[in-house]
Amino acid sequence: MRTLELNFEESIEVCKALANKHRMAILRLLSERPHNVNELSERLGLPFSTTAVNVKKLEDVDLITTELLPGRGTQKINTKKYDQIIIDIAPQETKEIEETIIYDMPIGHFSDSSIEPSCGLVGESDYINGHDDPRAFYEVGRDEAQLIFFKTGYLEYRFPNRLPRGEKADQIKFSAEVCSEAPLFKLDWPSDITVWINGHEIATWTSPSDFGGERGFLTPKWWMTNHTQYGLLKNWRVNKDGCYLDDKLVNSNCTIDSLKIAENPYISFKIGVKEDAVNVGGINLFGHKFGNYRQGIVMRLLTEHK
């Protein structure tokens, strides 16, 4: 989850920008995926000019970004920068200081795997080490993967544990772009995708679709549109209250203390589809150069001290 932290003075302009129902609606739409102004105008039922003015105000306070992408001509694509905004109004001398350790793991840098076909790794310009062969997941070229898919099993990523010695983790967050995996693509294709952290099962999310037919904003041109194109950005976090999927508490039995982060040399993040899941619909995992979000698997480890 991407967080914007503001001091008292910085918050004033951002609050002004957010004090408008159209701009709040734009941010909600951009939470689904990036849009251009035409798409936002159509979905909101607003004139193009009105939508463009509101997009500009959100750009001015750095809540969204706009980049030029080739398409039918050159398109301006708007992307939301943050998932939450924190306004700090506590006195400086008494407030708790929160430090964040951030690590963006390329999806090809998994440490362990156990997967079943159909499966494959896709690079920026071609498949890597063949198709539907689990042995490809142990080849050196896997590091270059920008899209990984498989039917059942898991991938495990071991993140560096950079928690300072003597300090305690307050919260850990992971985000990744994922969806189901069907032959070619299928919009009605549910899949139960599960995440584990340090061996503890955190949450299972039912992906509704294997999204295709419309090219992902980062998906390379050689990859045909009748294949998987993009996923949804999902967020998992664990704090003292329990485990959250996006902003919903889903498990209060496992807390940040259960993960014993300070006691381990690395932090394990595992994602996959169980063989006995209700919806065995596979998984697609997107990297920095595929899909709609320019990231791999992002970990944010928060520590808190006075």
Side-chain angles (χ1 to χ4, degrees), residues 110 113 115 119-121 134-139 142 148-149 155:
F110 50 88
S113 66
I115 55 93
C119 61
L121 303 99
R135 295 176 299 177
F137 284 67
Y138 296 91
E139 295 285 350
R142 70 185 191 188
I148 299 177
F149 61 92
L155 295 176

Side-chain angles (χ1 to χ4, degrees), residues 26-98:
I26 288 171
L27 288 174
R28 288 190 181 277
L29 290 175
L30 295 182
S31 295
E32 299 174 6
R33 63 175 178 84
H35 289 72
N36 61 37
V37 176
N38 277 324
E39 291 172 326
L40 291 171
S41 175
E42 290 175 5
R43 293 194 63 179
L44 293 171
L46 294 173
F48 178 90
S49 58
T50 302
T51 307
V53 167
N54 283 293
V55 165
K56 181 64 167 59
K57 287 187 179 295
L58 292 171
E59 284 182 291
D60 289 343
V61 294
D62 201 34
L63 293 180
I64 67 174
T65 59
T66 300
E67 58 181 327
L68 296 175
L69 293 179
R72 296 182 179 90
T74 301
Q75 297 187 62
K76 285 187 175 182
I77 302 300
N78 305 294
T79 305
K80 183 191 69 171
K81 291 186 68 174
Y82 305 102
D83 301 294
Q84 65 178 12
I85 298 169
I86 298 174
I87 297 174
D88 182 5
I89 59 174
Q92 182 64 37
E93 63 272 15
T94 61
K95 72 169 188 146
E96 292 185 333
I97 300 171
E98 191 176 70

Side-chain angles (χ1 to χ4, degrees), residues 158-179:
R158 295 182 176 180
F159 285 74
N161 189 346
R162 295 175 178 168
L163 180 69
R165 294 192 181 277
E167 293 195 10
K168 187 177 179 180
D170 180 64
Q171 183 168 243
I172 192 166
K173 307 177 184 181
F174 287 91
S175 67
E177 183 178 356
V178 293
C179 74

Side-chain angles (χ1 to χ4, degrees), residues 103-109 124 143-147 177 217-220 285-298:
Y103 197 99
D104 189 346
M105 179 78 76
I107 63 169
H109 289 200
E124 192 175 354
D143 289 351
E144 301 302 318
Q146 299 297 328
L147 174 67
E177 183 178 356
F217 291 110
L218 302 172
T219 303
L285 183 62
F286 298 81
H288 292 81
K289 298 179 181 179
F290 246 88
N292 282 343
Y293 297 90
R294 202 179 299 275
Q295 68 166 74
I297 300 172
V298 176

